[in-house]
Amino acid sequence: VESGNHGIWHANNHGSVSWLGFAQAIAYISKSRGKVFEPQGDPSESILRPKNSSLAAANIEGISGELAWQFALERYLREKGVA
């Protein structure tokens, strides 16, 4: 990339999702018979997590995938023979 910026860049597809939503999407797309359970109890008491850990692609528009994450996930799982 000829932008003059250096370092490690993380790119992502459009949209955002929680880890729970991501797991649920994988189970749905792969037609898994397993169940994805929501965490029990108050997560703030057991695990320290940021309120929002979404990747933002604002600085790399035109470089990051323009495909919604759901379609990219489905394509990936299909390529791996899971969907």
Side-chain angles (χ1 to χ4, degrees), residues 1 9 11-15 55-66:
V1 178
W9 288 66
N12 57 294
N13 291 90
H14 287 286
L55 292 175
N59 293 331
I60 54 174
E61 286 298 324
I63 297 171
S64 66
E66 296 193 14

Side-chain angles (χ1 to χ4, degrees), residues 22-43:
F22 191 61
Q24 289 170 330
I26 292 169
Y28 177 78
I29 293 168
S30 66
K31 298 177 176 72
S32 173
R33 293 184 193 166
K35 293 185 178 183
V36 177
F37 294 96
E38 293 192 35
Q40 298 297 312
D42 184 359

Side-chain angles (χ1 to χ4, degrees), residues 13 25 29-30 64-83:
N13 291 90
I29 293 168
S30 66
S64 66
E66 296 193 14
L67 192 61
W69 69 266
Q70 298 93 329
F71 296 115
L73 175 62
E74 185 172 1
R75 183 173 67 189
Y76 173 79
L77 292 175
R78 211 177 314 116
E79 288 173 2
K80 295 297 178 184
V82 179

